[in-house]
Amino acid sequence: MASHGIARTIRTRTDEQREQDLDKIAKYRDLETQIRMRVKQGSNSDNDNGSYADPVLFQLTTKLLRLNPEYYTIWNVRRCCLTSGLLCRRSGGSSLSKASPSTSRSDTMRPSSGDCLPSSSDSTRPDRKSLRAGRDGKSGISADDGTGSHDTNTGRTQEAEATGADTQEEDDTEAIGKDTGLLQSELAFTIPLLLEFPKCYWIWNYRSWLLSEAISRLPSTIARQIWEAELALTAKMLAKDRRNFHAWSYRRHVVATLESPALNGSSMAETEFAYTTKMIGADLSNFSAWHHRSRLILRVLDEKDADDQARKAFLEEELALAREGLNVGPEDQSLWYYHQFLMSHLTEYSGRVTIAPALTVEERRAYVMKEIEEIKDLLEDYDDVKWIYQGLLDYTLALGSLGGEGKGNEAEGFKDDMQEWLAKLRKLDPMRNGRWDDVEKTLEGW
Amino acid sequence: MANLSKLPDELQLATAAHVKYIQSLDTRKDEYEYWLTEHLRLNGLYWGLTALHLLGQPDALPRAETIDFVLSCQHDNGGFGAAPGHDAHMLYTVSAVQILAMIDAFDDLEKRGKGKAAVGKFIADLQNRKTGTFAGDEWGEEDTRFLYGAFNALSLLDMVDLVDVDKAVDYIISCANFDGGYGLSPGSETHSGQIFTCLAALSIAGRMESVEVDKLGKWLSERQVAGGGLNGRPEKDEDVCYSWWVLSSLEMIGRTHWIDRDALIAFILRCQDPELGGIADRPGNMVDVWHTLFGITGLTLLGYPGLEPVNPVYCLPKSTTDRVLGSRT
């Protein structure tokens, strides 16, 4: 319904085309009807596992989702198929392999999120406790599903206790293998869809859910392998579209989970920082990569136990990196925003954690002055780029708010410059004249 | 608005064509696309109906059928799906409440639907009580879009006290970035759509004091590109929908005058299909009801003549929010 970037054409269909459309509609709706019928029939049947323990239903969702991956209700049906019998191991880790038929009747065992009742309007989905536990916990493991192998509500577990642990272990190995295979084939199923519809929220959500199922159902070493493969997928998606914010956001989620105790992880700040360096190297205008970098800096420094000297050096290197970029692309907003980010660590330091907290006010003033001088040098090559004048104005105003000795003299020295920069801004960027009017008022009181 | 008279004739708002276009949307059942987009039906009704109200044609869709359709999408748990047979989700529940508010039909929800209390409970149950944010449905996807939707609908229903507002506000603040903007979760890049959801949620909560107005205003005003349109993030192309996300945000922080109104009006008007109606993302592209609404909301925020005023927080006609919220203290 929201079309992006599709050229407008006069749509007159021939009779034949219209017939073809009607045929497609009939097939699509038939598929939809079959799914709804099977969900409904199952819920009225004697099948203990409810309507979703139905391999035909699962296959029908495959067909429909390939036609329309935006159909969120069908993704939900598919999840229910998985949690109502296709996946053998219960979330929380123990094997359900032969006991699965009793799962949906057991009050203590629910799928890790959601209740798989038919979704028609005569049903409710009352119990959200298990979901909440999953979302609240850092690891994504849903705590109250973790009734573990001591759950005596299933015949399987009672049987295992009676026949000895060996059989259980064998069954469990088999179940782990089966579930791993199933989750991986599900992940593979979504890849062509994701490549075709990289901005479809529902596909990303489904993948994310599969990954959380891997954590709650599989041993952590196996789950970790699945999550590591996911990191490679985000890299692939970002190579295709460097700014895809679904993919960036998803990557942060994948990294945070790989770092977490649930996957026996440790910090990846350093490698992620290196990833941003690589992405920026390929495209200086990739603000998404600069943003990601900005969120990693403090962690990288902390983990290195960087002392004051190292922190200062780091800040200088980053400023130089941004400036080098500006020397070749002074109209690149991404670079300016990153430069502003770094400058904010010099000028807005009270009450927040900054890159180089030990700097004195005088040192801060000297750094800001140096940047102002460097930016002024850009004017020699580029006198018609509004971002340069904007930077000069902003940083000079920030200098004024820094305090410290010599403030008055500097301010006097800049007064004429600032009026000149503002006049340039009005000329080069008349679209934002309302803003320049407000800046002028600020300068009057400066 | 002095310069508007300079716009050529073809750059006048094609109001009659837009009304017809929106009215035609539910008659396209012989088009495959109609069925492929059923998962957006209730949103689509909200987009179309809001556009019609702003165009001064609130009765262009039949009221009784509209109410019937909305109620047919409701589940026992109070939530609404996109259409009958679709699962309940925050996104459609919010649209349902907005539609019912717009056509003054909360009574019908009470008498013939599952009632306001059930809707409020469905929404409130989606709050993550630990972090304050909201999920879209029981499968757990979280996003500041859902937090805003919850605040929007609950405040229209006068049931905000069902949720932990302070926790939600803290969560929004944790999504803020150095540029004054907000991302979809803590650590995410600033995005205009998320700025709108966060600002509007803070506004409903009456907690705008944490907003860095000047920083954010600068960032937002830089979204206007040479052609007059607005983009959603640095170094991206312009798109009519940002005439809502960016502009409503500028309006909420009192900085709409930081962009060139006339240039944006001309851009939006260039995106319309003056003959068959509807507005596209960019000039020459296919129209759709989503861009049609956000083109029109943009125009009315910019003071384009002949349009009803819109509430920048709720994306509803101001007359609706005045009626529903106005009587409360």
Side-chain angles (χ1 to χ4, degrees):
Chain A
M1 200 169 277
S3 352
H4 283 99
I6 302 164
R8 191 182 306 155
T9 45
I10 304 294
R11 293 198 60 214
T12 41
R13 288 182 293 182
T14 62
D15 285 348
E16 198 188 337
Q17 283 169 331
R18 190 169 177 278
E19 282 310 312
Q20 281 171 358
D21 279 357
L22 291 177
D23 189 46
K24 267 163 88 176
I25 292 170
K27 284 186 180 139
Y28 177 81
R29 295 200 68 197
D30 176 56
L31 204 50
E32 186 185 40
T33 308
Q34 285 185 56
I35 291 176
R36 288 185 183 179
M37 291 288 285
R38 292 197 87 89
V39 169
K40 207 165 176 205
Q41 274 166 7
S43 71
N44 296 332
S45 80
D46 291 336
N47 185 340
D48 271 358
N49 210 14
S51 41
Y52 296 97
D54 174 358
V56 178
L57 177 60
F58 185 72
Q59 282 159 13
L60 290 169
T61 66
T62 304
K63 276 191 182 172
L64 187 48
L65 289 167
R66 280 190 178 137
L67 294 176
N68 187 6
E70 296 272 4
Y71 203 151
Y72 69 98
T73 304
I74 306 300
W75 286 113
N76 294 348
V77 170
R78 194 173 179 88
R79 282 188 253 236
C80 287
C81 289
L82 292 179
T83 58
S84 300
L86 288 175
L87 286 167
C88 310
R89 300 185 92 228
R90 172 171 56 215
S91 59
S94 67
S95 174
L96 288 173
S97 52
K98 285 173 189 156
S100 49
S102 67
T103 53
S104 72
R105 286 281 168 94
S106 162
D107 285 335
T108 55
M109 298 197 317
R110 295 187 184 283
S112 65
S113 45
D115 275 345
C116 291
L117 298 171
S119 59
S120 60
S121 55
D122 58 8
S123 77
T124 54
R125 297 202 168 171
D127 190 336
R128 302 186 41 76
K129 269 193 298 179
S130 57
L131 162 63
R132 187 119 307 134
R135 286 196 282 131
D136 288 355
K138 262 189 184 167
S139 64
I141 291 178
S142 33
D144 59 347
D145 292 330
T147 44
S149 55
H150 305 296
D151 181 3
T152 50
N153 273 7
T154 71
R156 169 73 197 108
T157 318
Q158 284 169 340
E159 187 195 331
E161 276 163 9
T163 56
D166 286 352
T167 332
Q168 188 183 9
E169 225 167 76
E170 256 169 49
D171 281 356
D172 204 35
T173 311
E174 195 187 318
I176 290 169
K178 208 173 150 233
D179 284 0
T180 306
L182 183 54
L183 288 172
Q184 278 172 336
S185 85
E186 281 303 277
L187 289 165
F189 165 65
T190 67
I191 286 189
L193 298 175
L194 207 51
L195 291 173
E196 196 179 347
F197 307 94
K199 292 182 178 172
C200 176
Y201 281 98
W202 308 110
I203 309 176
W204 288 105
N205 292 344
Y206 184 68
R207 279 193 83 85
S208 189
W209 177 80
L210 290 170
L211 291 170
S212 66
E213 289 296 305
I215 291 185
S216 55
R217 289 174 191 270
L218 300 174
S220 62
T221 45
I222 298 176
R224 186 166 181 91
Q225 285 165 11
I226 292 177
W227 280 79
E228 277 170 352
E230 202 63 6
L231 194 62
L233 174 87
T234 67
K236 187 176 172 185
M237 296 301 289
L238 288 172
K240 235 170 96 81
D241 175 2
R242 293 161 178 162
R243 299 294 304 281
N244 183 337
F245 81 92
H246 292 277
W248 276 106
S249 200
Y250 191 70
R251 184 179 179 93
R252 273 184 283 275
H253 169 61
V254 171
V255 168
T257 311
L258 280 170
E259 288 173 329
S260 72
L263 293 178
N264 302 323
S266 58
S267 174
M268 294 167 65
E270 192 94 42
T271 51
E272 280 303 284
F273 190 78
Y275 178 71
T276 69
T277 309
K278 188 182 123 198
M279 292 297 276
I280 290 160
D283 176 11
L284 277 177
S285 297
N286 186 347
F287 183 69
S288 304
W290 287 110
H291 167 82
H292 194 52
R293 189 179 185 85
S294 76
R295 305 293 304 210
L296 291 163
I297 288 177
L298 293 174
R299 278 182 62 200
V300 168
L301 289 171
D302 280 348
E303 286 169 17
K304 275 190 198 158
D305 266 333
D307 61 12
D308 290 337
Q309 206 51 41
R311 284 169 177 272
K312 235 165 98 169
F314 183 90
L315 181 61
E316 285 171 16
E317 277 166 33
E318 289 301 296
L319 281 166
L321 179 67
R323 248 188 290 107
E324 277 163 31
L326 289 171
N327 275 325
V328 278
E331 63 295 299
D332 191 324
Q333 294 188 32
S334 304
L335 293 164
W336 281 108
Y337 284 123
Y338 188 65
H339 195 263
Q340 285 171 20
F341 160 78
L342 296 170
M343 293 295 273
S344 77
H345 279 251
L346 286 166
T347 59
E348 299 165 27
Y349 57 95
S350 84
R352 65 184 274 228
V353 186
T354 54
I355 297 173
L359 293 176
T360 64
V361 175
E362 293 314 317
E363 282 175 304
R364 289 169 193 277
R365 296 182 66 79
Y367 274 114
V368 176
M369 283 294 288
K370 178 171 185 278
E371 291 305 305
I372 290 173
E373 291 306 319
E374 295 273 2
I375 293 166
K376 270 190 188 168
D377 287 347
L378 287 176
L379 290 173
E380 287 172 20
D381 295 316
Y382 314 94
D383 66 348
D384 58 350
V385 176
K386 72 127 180 174
W387 288 92
I388 299 177
Y389 300 100
Q390 217 165 293
L392 289 171
L393 260 180
D394 283 347
Y395 298 150
T396 308
L397 285 167
L399 188 65
S401 62
L402 255 179
E405 284 176 32
K407 183 191 166 196
N409 294 339
E410 276 165 16
E412 277 307 311
F414 275 118
K415 241 179 173 165
D416 289 346
D417 282 344
M418 288 172 81
Q419 290 298 338
E420 198 185 309
W421 297 331
L422 182 60
K424 277 281 191 185
L425 279 172
R426 286 187 182 282
K427 190 164 157 267
L428 293 170
D429 188 18
M431 276 189 152
R432 277 160 279 266
N433 262 334
R435 187 169 137 201
W436 310 137
D437 289 344
D438 287 354
V439 172
E440 186 156 11
K441 283 176 210 150
T442 311
L443 291 186
E444 280 164 14
W446 204 64
Chain B
M1 290 302 103
N3 290 340
L4 275 185
S5 52
K6 286 187 205 157
L7 290 172
D9 283 352
E10 66 267 24
L11 286 188
Q12 300 296 329
L13 184 66
T15 301
H18 296 319
V19 171
K20 262 197 176 157
Y21 164 74
I22 294 166
Q23 286 174 319
S24 79
L25 288 171
D26 205 46
T27 64
R28 303 182 174 204
K29 293 176 185 166
D30 62 347
E31 294 178 20
Y32 190 42
E33 186 68 13
Y34 178 89
W35 298 101
L36 285 184
T37 56
E38 194 179 59
H39 66 282
L40 291 170
R41 197 70 77 229
L42 200 51
N43 298 146
L45 181 55
Y46 156 73
W47 297 325
L49 191 62
T50 309
L52 290 170
H53 278 245
L54 298 175
L55 289 166
Q57 301 282 328
D59 302 320
L61 293 182
R63 183 176 183 274
E65 286 172 35
T66 300
I67 298 171
D68 288 347
F69 177 75
V70 171
L71 295 181
S72 75
C73 300
Q74 194 174 25
H75 292 243
D76 271 355
N77 63 5
F80 291 78
H86 292 245
D87 284 356
H89 191 284
M90 177 77 85
L91 290 174
Y92 313 104
T93 305
V94 177
S95 283
V97 172
Q98 288 178 299
I99 293 166
L100 296 174
M102 217 174 340
I103 56 179
D104 199 6
F106 283 161
D107 283 352
D108 294 81
L109 175 63
E110 219 52 52
K111 284 182 209 140
R112 297 196 285 131
K114 315 290 177 203
K116 280 162 75 166
V119 182
K121 186 178 184 316
F122 174 81
I123 296 173
D125 282 352
L126 289 169
Q127 186 173 34
N128 181 333
R129 297 281 164 169
K130 199 171 172 196
T131 64
T133 192
F134 285 78
D137 61 16
E138 79 262 40
W139 298 103
E141 180 207 5
E142 292 176 348
D143 184 325
T144 46
R145 288 179 305 153
F146 308 141
L147 193 164
Y148 161 68
F151 275 25
N152 181 322
L154 288 175
S155 61
L156 290 171
L157 295 167
D158 200 10
M159 299 173 98
V160 175
D161 53 358
L162 290 181
V163 297
D164 189 336
V165 173
D166 288 341
K167 272 252 162 75
V169 167
D170 287 347
Y171 185 82
I172 295 172
I173 292 171
S174 75
C175 294
N177 286 313
F178 84 95
D179 48 26
Y182 302 84
L184 57 79
S185 54
S188 287
E189 179 185 350
T190 292
H191 185 288
S192 299
Q194 258 66 38
I195 292 176
F196 164 76
T197 60
C198 291
L199 279 186
L202 289 174
S203 175
I204 291 170
R207 296 284 303 276
M208 293 285 274
E209 73 279 356
S210 65
V211 179
E212 295 196 85
V213 170
D214 277 339
K215 268 192 189 177
L216 180 56
K218 276 184 194 175
W219 191 92
L220 287 167
S221 73
E222 296 297 346
R223 297 306 107 238
Q224 189 165 37
V225 300
L230 303 167
N231 64 16
R233 287 184 289 162
E235 309 291 339
K236 299 281 283 183
D237 290 335
E238 69 275 36
D239 181 324
V240 157
C241 66
Y242 295 110
S243 310
W244 175 253
W245 314 118
V246 173
L247 200 55
S248 61
S249 299
L250 283 167
E251 189 77 10
M252 282 186 262
I253 59 170
R255 294 293 182 276
T256 306
H257 63 290
W258 281 13
I259 60 160
D260 186 333
R261 293 179 173 225
D262 292 344
L264 180 54
I265 287 173
F267 172 76
I268 297 171
L269 292 174
R270 279 201 303 277
C271 293
Q272 61 179 347
D273 181 337
E275 276 110 53
L276 299 174
I279 300 177
D281 59 343
R282 278 190 273 285
N285 282 352
M286 283 283 281
V287 303
D288 61 72
V289 65
W290 197 68
H291 287 96
T292 303
L293 171 63
F294 294 131
I296 292 168
T297 55
L299 289 173
T300 180
L301 279 178
L302 292 164
Y304 189 90
L307 293 172
E308 295 296 318
V310 67
N311 181 312
V313 174
Y314 286 87
C315 200
L316 284 171
K318 197 171 165 295
S319 56
T320 299
T321 51
D322 284 352
R323 171 170 44 76
V324 177
L325 307 169
S327 54
R328 297 183 207 149
T329 49

